[in-house]
Amino acid sequence: MSQATDIRAGSPLQSVVSWLLRNHIWVFLALTVTVFSLASPYFLTVNNLGNILTQAAFIGILAIGMTMVMIDGEIDLSVGAVLALASALAIGLQDHMGVWPAVFLGLLSGAALGFLNGTLVALSGMHSFIVTLGGLIGIRGLVFVYSGENALMVPDFSYTEIPEIYLGPISLTAIIFFALAVLFQWVLSSTRHGRETYAVGDNIEAAHDAGINVRRHKIINFTICGTLAAVCGILLSMRLGTAEPNAGKIWELWTIIAVVLGGTRLQGGFGSMWMTIGGVLTLAVLRNGLRLLNTPNYVELMVMGAVLVLALVLDKLLNHGEVP
């Protein structure tokens, strides 16, 4: 009788703890918003919230593709370099072929490099960390060669007016991010490809035995990741009007932090776009809030390092079944 009473007494608490752990990122986001809104009178202004969404959108678009790859149990360290190449091509080729053909070629470069990464991972058997690390170095070098180590300026500044479309305080860039997140959440939850993504990440041998073409599947997800990195680079070039050779440098790290903070397991087999959105917004709020408080750059890096450690601890808890 007492044991049953203990179970009943413990059940509500267990349910609350379970809910908090499953939705940890939204709890963390609410806490950060509360802290910075109290610390700075400028944080909760409409303009600043709109800026946070726009800033989040760039890492967010990268994070969507990274989520697809990481649920597969892989990783792509080359997204920042792919972003830079797409940005450079989208601006650098405008004098030769016009705006939209240049933009299309920039987008195509991302898809091609994602396809190449996926093919090397799938056919060579090498770990994606090594393959995409090589891609990061090689593609970044290619950007420096193409740009002559200088920033490329857009020839027609009407190109920069495209991302200035707003729906209230929400920029076109943020709208594109949320639209892509909804689309790929639907892919994960409602399509065969999405179900296979979880299956491959959870148990690759079982997925192969079930008839899933694992190689083709990984190539598709790496291609998606590369394409979205190119989308991010093109939107960044539109917003800035320039293409810097160092554009997107270390953005792959911010992206991985956001995705893992959202609960996607490094080992694969678990994650969602909704939780990735939470991770992206939390990271953007932290960076924005720290800058509003005029925090030195090294303090920001220390905070982000602590956030990464927190994300890895949560990943370990989730991966070892600590969350019911």
Side-chain angles (χ1 to χ4, degrees):
M1 183 68 175
S2 61
Q3 184 179 2
T5 303
D6 289 341
I7 291 172
R8 285 196 299 270
S11 293
L13 178 59
Q14 184 180 11
S15 298
V16 170
V17 172
S18 175
W19 185 90
L20 288 174
L21 287 173
R22 286 199 307 270
N23 298 277
H24 62 275
I25 190 57
W26 300 109
V27 176
F28 192 28
L29 176 59
L31 287 173
T32 54
V33 169
T34 301
V35 169
F36 287 123
S37 63
L38 294 173
S40 171
Y42 305 107
F43 180 78
L44 282 182
T45 61
V46 172
N47 284 341
N48 189 57
L49 293 177
N51 287 337
I52 289 173
L53 292 179
T54 300
Q55 292 161 8
F58 293 105
I59 294 296
I61 292 170
L62 295 178
I64 292 169
M66 189 72 75
T67 301
M68 298 294 291
V69 168
M70 286 178 64
I71 292 176
D72 256 349
E74 303 290 351
I75 200 165
D76 189 347
L77 298 178
S78 68
V79 289
V82 171
L83 174 160
L85 181 61
S87 175
L89 292 175
I91 286 183
L93 295 176
Q94 287 186 23
D95 281 334
H96 305 287
M97 58 176 62
V99 173
W100 295 111
V103 167
F104 177 75
L105 197 60
L107 190 64
L108 191 63
S109 71
L113 290 169
F115 178 84
L116 178 61
N117 280 336
T119 301
L120 289 173
V121 170
L123 299 184
S124 71
M126 290 189 293
H127 196 282
S128 55
F129 181 92
I130 301 300
V131 172
T132 59
L133 179 61
L136 181 159
I137 297 168
I139 297 166
R140 183 68 68 181
L142 183 61
V143 176
F144 274 93
V145 170
Y146 177 74
S147 65
E149 301 185 28
N150 297 310
L152 302 176
M153 298 293 297
V154 65
D156 181 1
F157 278 92
S158 62
Y159 178 73
T160 63
E161 295 173 3
I162 298 171
E164 293 303 316
I165 299 170
Y166 282 80
L167 182 62
I170 305 175
S171 67
L172 176 63
T173 306
I175 292 170
I176 290 172
F177 161 50
F178 287 115
L180 287 169
V182 170
L183 171 63
F184 281 98
Q185 177 59 36
W186 174 80
V187 169
L188 283 173
S189 61
S190 304
T191 69
R192 177 180 174 181
H193 181 78
R195 291 189 293 272
E196 289 180 352
T197 297
Y198 288 108
V200 171
D202 187 55
N203 190 322
I204 191 169
E205 289 82 9
H208 186 271
D209 292 341
I212 297 173
N213 189 328
V214 174
R215 289 180 175 177
R216 183 180 65 186
H217 181 83
K218 290 193 174 186
I219 290 171
I220 290 172
N221 277 347
F222 271 101
T223 303
I224 290 171
C225 191
T227 302
L228 291 178
V231 170
C232 182
I234 291 165
L235 289 172
L236 185 64
S237 72
M238 289 179 175
R239 187 165 186 84
L240 300 179
T242 63
E244 296 277 352
N246 278 319
K249 190 174 183 180
I250 77 166
W251 281 24
E252 57 276 355
L253 300 183
W254 300 127
T255 302
I256 293 167
I257 290 173
V259 174
V260 176
L261 192 61
T264 298
R265 293 176 182 168
L266 289 169
Q267 291 83 356
F270 184 85
S272 76
M273 291 302 164
W274 302 132
M275 301 299 280
T276 291
I277 290 174
V280 168
L281 291 177
T282 300
L283 198 63
V285 166
L286 278 169
R287 297 180 74 182
N288 177 270
L290 290 171
R291 288 170 184 175
L292 282 179
L293 297 177
N294 294 317
T295 306
N297 186 59
Y298 65 85
V299 174
E300 180 182 338
L301 292 175
M302 289 168 63
V303 171
M304 292 305 163
V307 169
L308 176 58
V309 172
L310 173 63
L312 293 173
V313 170
L314 289 170
D315 174 75
K316 189 174 182 66
L317 288 173
L318 289 167
N319 193 52
H320 283 76
E322 298 290 336
V323 182

